[in-house]
Amino acid sequence: MFENPTIAILGLGHVGLPTALGFSELGWRVIGADDLREKANQIRAGVAPFYEPGLQDLLNSALRSGRFEVALNVQSAIENSDVIFVCVGTPQNEDGSADLSQIEAVGRLIAEHANSNKLVVEKSTTSVSTAKRLKDMMEKHKNLNWNIDVAVNPEFLREGTGLKDFFEPDRIVLGIESDSARDQLVTIYSPLLSKMDNENTGVVTHRNAKFVITDLNTAEIIKHASNSFLATKISFINTVADICDKVGADIVKVAEAMGMDPRIGPSFLNAGIGFGGYCLPKDIKAFSKIGEDFGIDMGIFRAVSSVNENRFIPVLDKLKSSLSGLNGKCGAIWGLAFKPGTDDIRESPCVPIIKGLIDQGISVHLHDPEAINQFKKVMPRKPGLVEYFDSPEQAAKGTDFILITTEWQQYLQVNLSNIRDTMSNPLLIDCRNMLNPTHVRDAGFQYVGIGRPFLDKPQ
Ligand code: UGA
């Protein structure tokens, strides 16, 4: 009988921790575990190890409720649970494929320490057929005759809105091989759906959320295909933005009109400096590698990656054509995180831009509301060359240009008229097209966007 399952979450990163706290909030007993002892201790002590809106509050309440605990080791989480979600990292190998060593190590531990029937749910993004291989491997290594079932339940959590995405999913994909795995997972997610009951009619509307029940390989491909499609949309619109730049058209209007077609849809059509983060860049490469291993022409995905990796070039070109000489200039960089709402700087598109600036002899004043501490680890302060500032206004002081690289809402609040006279030269390059060009020009700046008509500063 599957009435009150205890859930283990192995890996407490950007996917595992929000998922663990989400399940706990839904009323389940959850045991989290992470091999990184320092991180596990920090979470046990009630401190969220990274910034994600709402995460700290949910961690406080989950610990208070007694439904969430962090195990002393992975083994004890395995032994004391019924359903085990594998949320460990799948970093990138040199050839672009996913490194599955952490998943395999966890699989071996589960096989060795299973002390009752277990359902092992792969949540990490993996290569297709990983779940099948995991099942065969656990079958081979298991000590006793317990049944170890395997399922795939890909996550669609975006950093910055991870908790919202958990509580308001647009689909819950369940790759299963048995009715019992399906029933267990539907039970675990059911409080989420019943929260969506229409109280007046008693009809479960599920809002937009739907279970998609499928086999293991299909569920794995759904995840890879989804991220690859999002990446494709972004590189597509960025290429169109480059054409707009050449002919003086406005990509924002182009994207708006394109998005009105329901076959295209409005989201992920914001042109800029490309996609970063721990997911899209590596997932599209891993998917390309999977296809190539089967002899399929993956040129379309290779092109998406290549467009993305070259997004720093138009930014440097814009700077060259807007300033007379770059050597010795100083620029303010607003935004270091790969997107707003997170302190994650992995594959942040600002990195090749900043490196390119420094290579050209430009010194940089860096600002970000959340990511400065993370960024200092990869780019330490170098007096006179790389400096960090607590506010965008301070960062802009004495500089020849401002470059907006992450669209934090805070940057919309800056009074540009007030900072114009503190700068050596009022030039603003809006790499995320977040500002109204006319307002920027009215504040006395030259405005340069991505794929938008350039506006000179008022004479
Ligand atoms: C992505 C997916 O959106 C999630 O559905 C998925 O669960 C997650 O990866 C994952 O595999 O774990 P995330 O990496 O948090 O989520 O970030 P996105 O919101 O997808 O943004 C990725 C990058 O694309 C960011 O650098 C963002 O600035 C950029 N972007 C996004 C654009 O340049 N233009 C857009 O229109 C949208």
Side-chain angles (χ1 to χ4, degrees):
M1 214 30 206
F2 186 75
E3 272 173 0
N4 234 334
T6 296
I7 297 172
I9 305 282
L10 308 186
L12 295 174
H14 288 272
V15 172
L17 186 55
T19 304
L21 301 179
F23 281 142
S24 152
E25 176 73 12
L26 295 185
W28 304 117
R29 176 165 178 251
V30 179
I31 307 174
D34 199 294
D35 261 350
L36 296 175
R37 191 153 297 180
E38 199 185 325
K39 189 202 271 181
N41 287 342
Q42 195 179 340
I43 299 170
R44 197 179 298 111
V47 180
F50 50 86
Y51 174 71
E52 174 75 33
L55 193 71
Q56 183 61 59
D57 288 347
L58 201 58
L59 174 59
N60 296 343
S61 69
L63 288 169
R64 262 199 317 268
S65 74
R67 287 192 300 271
F68 173 65
E69 65 187 276
V70 180
L72 286 176
N73 53 46
V74 175
Q75 177 185 334
S76 96
I78 294 168
E79 287 169 354
N80 291 300
S81 59
D82 307 292
V83 180
I84 302 169
F85 283 83
V86 178
C87 302
V88 296
T90 51
Q92 193 174 299
N93 285 319
E94 292 236 316
D95 64 358
S97 61
D99 171 356
L100 302 175
S101 54
Q102 293 183 48
I103 296 216
E104 285 160 6
V106 159
R108 228 165 288 128
L109 270 181
I110 295 172
E112 281 163 19
H113 296 289
N115 53 353
S116 60
N117 292 341
K118 306 284 179 194
L119 171 61
V120 178
V121 188
E122 172 193 290
K123 220 178 212 324
S124 311
T125 305
T126 60
S127 309
V128 64
S129 297
T130 302
K132 277 180 181 293
R133 283 205 301 275
L134 190 66
K135 181 161 188 178
D136 292 346
M137 189 264 273
M138 290 192 297
E139 222 23 72
K140 227 182 338 183
H141 283 86
K142 73 180 181 187
N143 283 331
L144 295 165
N145 220 12
W146 300 112
N147 181 38
I148 304 184
D149 202 352
V150 169
V152 176
N153 171 221
E155 53 86 17
F156 301 103
L157 309 182
R158 291 160 297 174
E159 286 183 36
T161 51
L163 292 174
K164 183 174 181 300
D165 293 341
F166 178 89
F167 289 110
E168 297 171 29
D170 41 28
R171 78 279 208 202
I172 298 169
V173 175
L174 304 179
I176 42 107
E177 282 193 324
S178 68
D179 290 349
S180 113
R182 183 200 54 215
D183 294 348
Q184 290 181 65
L185 288 167
V186 167
T187 303
I188 285 173
Y189 278 107
S190 59
L192 201 53
L193 302 185
S194 56
K195 275 200 169 173
M196 299 174 187
D197 282 6
N198 180 326
E199 279 165 23
N200 297 326
T201 63
V203 175
V204 180
T205 58
H206 292 200
R207 280 199 209 134
N208 293 320
K210 287 193 177 73
F211 282 113
V212 180
I213 312 280
T214 174
D215 59 274
L216 303 179
N217 283 353
T218 303
E220 286 170 331
I221 290 202
I222 288 171
K223 171 62 197 240
H224 258 150
S226 300
N227 273 8
S228 299
F229 188 71
L230 294 173
T232 304
K233 269 187 121 176
I234 298 169
S235 279
F236 176 93
I237 203 69
N238 282 335
T239 304
V240 179
D242 288 349
I243 299 175
C244 289
D245 262 331
K246 297 290 177 205
V247 300
D250 187 347
I251 190 65
V252 175
K253 282 282 166 208
V254 172
E256 187 186 323
M258 282 174 65
M260 288 172 181
D261 183 334
R263 292 170 302 174
I264 297 174
S267 51
F268 274 68
L269 287 180
N270 298 324
I273 46 175
F275 52 84
Y278 192 58
C279 304
L280 266 47
K282 86 175 164 66
D283 288 355
I284 192 157
K285 286 206 173 111
F287 207 26
S288 302
K289 183 72 175 61
I290 292 167
E292 279 161 5
D293 287 347
F294 285 109
I296 297 166
D297 178 355
M298 300 302 282
I300 180 169
F301 294 170
R302 292 285 172 203
V304 168
S305 294
S306 155
V307 166
N308 197 56
E309 283 158 13
N310 289 323
R311 287 313 289 162
F312 69 99
I313 295 171
V315 177
L316 296 182
D317 286 348
K318 281 167 191 289
L319 202 57
K320 276 182 201 148
S321 56
S322 309
L323 287 174
S324 53
L326 300 184
N327 195 20
K329 296 279 193 307
C330 177
I333 314 298
W334 289 0
L336 303 171
F338 82 95
K339 64 185 235 182
T342 175
D343 59 358
D344 195 345
I345 57 153
R346 290 174 296 179
E347 301 290 320
S348 180
C350 74
V351 173
I353 296 176
I354 296 173
K355 287 189 171 152
L357 296 176
I358 293 173
D359 284 349
Q360 303 279 340
I362 298 175
S363 55
V364 289
H365 287 187
L366 307 181
H367 174 265
D368 190 283
E370 299 293 340
I372 284 181
N373 287 340
Q374 297 300 331
F375 211 78
K376 278 183 178 166
K377 292 180 194 162
V378 296
M379 203 175 281
R381 172 174 180 252
K382 282 196 190 135
L385 186 61
V386 178
E387 298 283 2
Y388 287 88
F389 291 85
D390 290 336
S391 77
E393 291 86 352
Q394 284 167 10
K397 208 168 167 190
T399 61
D400 299 285
F401 61 92
I402 295 168
L403 209 64
I404 303 185
T405 37
T406 313
E407 67 274 37
W408 287 101
Q409 288 298 302
Q410 179 184 355
Y411 300 146
L412 291 172
Q413 318 306 326
V414 174
N415 187 326
L416 290 174
S417 309
N418 286 353
I419 62 170
R420 185 196 55 220
D421 293 335
T422 71
M423 295 178 62
S424 304
N425 176 52
L427 163 65
L428 190 144
I429 302 189
D430 181 4
C431 299
R432 295 292 190 170
N433 290 343
M434 73 178 297
L435 299 179
N436 179 319
T438 316
H439 292 171
V440 178
R441 201 256 319 265
D442 290 348
F445 279 77
Q446 178 184 351
Y447 177 87
V448 179
I450 303 285
R452 302 180 99 175
F454 153 105
L455 288 186
D456 211 348
K457 62 176 183 265
Q459 295 310 312

